[in-house]
Amino acid sequence: MSFDRIDRQILSLLQADGRMTNVDLADQVGLTAPPCLRRVRALEEAGAIRGYHADLDAGKLGFPITVFAMVSLRSQAEHDLTAFEQHIANVAEIRECHMLNGEIDFILKIVAADLKSFQEILTTHLTPAPNVASVKTSLTIRTAKALSGIPVTLD
């Protein structure tokens, strides 16, 4: 799907402020409210906008620990990769899972209330998972940049 300048403006503005009213959005992109809303709906239906959410502060909500776990599997057969993805899908503290190429198969972003809670996730959900060869973890010290979304260019 191709996006014109107005579509990209809409995407950029909504990515920055998903609670923006349609009237404010229309005003900022130079449209009236009805055609702006039609464009937003079209972007949603096309899958360019997958949803809207609140950006929560993990530390203030009881999850001050963020750990990245690098997981290597014994087999990279598709059914083994899918089985691992399904295994970790329902672990609420695992917030992201990315399959990589190279020596590490997956990198996971995990949040935890404390180190004991993280250790429990590691020992009950990750290391005993079927086909897991190794898990290497790195505890974050600080986060210098954490932007959601993508860079939307307007030209």
Side-chain angles (χ1 to χ4, degrees), residues 41-125:
R41 296 289 182 249
L43 290 165
E44 290 170 349
E45 289 172 14
I49 298 173
R50 294 187 299 191
Y52 302 89
H53 71 277
D55 186 11
L56 306 180
D57 185 314
K60 289 182 180 176
L61 294 168
F63 294 93
I65 305 293
T66 300
V67 178
F68 288 92
M70 287 70 68
V71 180
S72 296
L73 302 181
R74 289 184 192 92
S75 164
Q76 290 71 33
E78 186 58 36
H79 64 25
D80 291 322
L81 297 169
T82 301
F84 177 77
E85 291 168 342
Q86 290 171 347
H87 177 79
I88 57 97
N90 294 320
V91 181
E93 294 85 357
I94 299 175
R95 303 309 299 168
E96 296 180 28
C97 173
H98 304 273
M99 188 169 74
L100 307 175
N101 73 339
E103 117 182 32
I104 303 297
D105 295 307
F106 290 94
I107 187 164
L108 310 176
K109 179 181 177 183
I110 304 167
V111 297
D114 51 39
L115 290 175
K116 184 177 182 202
S117 299
F118 167 68
Q119 181 181 1
E120 186 175 321
I121 294 163
L122 182 67
T123 58
T124 61
H125 296 291

